């Protein structure tokens, strides 16, 4: 998973409320304030960071297992 930066998410108005968007589409809509939208972006970034760490750990475990089997 690629490293996520704040530029991966953006805030815009949608039907009179704030919405958070990403390249995947709408992440969340109907947000009352820009501050709430910014907090949601921070949550998304943290989620992506944790997922990246978990994927890296799983890959490291797999590689270690492959090396152990080859030895």
């Amino acid at each position: 998973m690629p490293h996520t930066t704040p530029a991966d998410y953006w805030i815009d108005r949608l039907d009179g409320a704030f919405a958070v968007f990403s390249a995947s589409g709408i992440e969340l809509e109907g947000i009352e304030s820009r501050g709430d939208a910014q907090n949601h972006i921070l949550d998304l970034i943290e989620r992506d960071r944790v997922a990246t760490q978990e994927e890296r750990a799983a890959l490291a475990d797999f590689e270690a297992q492959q090396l152990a089997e080859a030895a």
Side-chain angles (χ1 to χ4, degrees):
M1 173 177 286
H3 177 70
T4 302
T5 63
D8 293 333
Y9 302 102
W10 62 93
I11 300 168
D12 205 348
R13 289 285 204 162
L14 182 65
D15 297 327
F18 292 97
V20 174
F21 295 86
S22 72
S24 300
I26 299 172
E27 296 288 340
L28 185 66
E29 58 185 302
I31 305 169
E32 293 184 15
S33 72
R34 181 170 288 278
D36 288 344
Q38 289 170 334
N39 287 335
H40 185 66
I41 288 174
L42 293 175
D43 291 342
L44 290 170
I45 292 169
E46 178 64 14
R47 177 199 68 187
D48 292 345
R49 185 190 66 77
V50 168
T52 299
Q53 284 181 334
E54 290 173 352
E55 286 178 16
R56 287 179 181 164
L59 180 59
D61 288 345
F62 175 76
E63 290 171 345
Q65 181 182 3
Q66 293 296 318
L67 287 173
E69 290 175 2

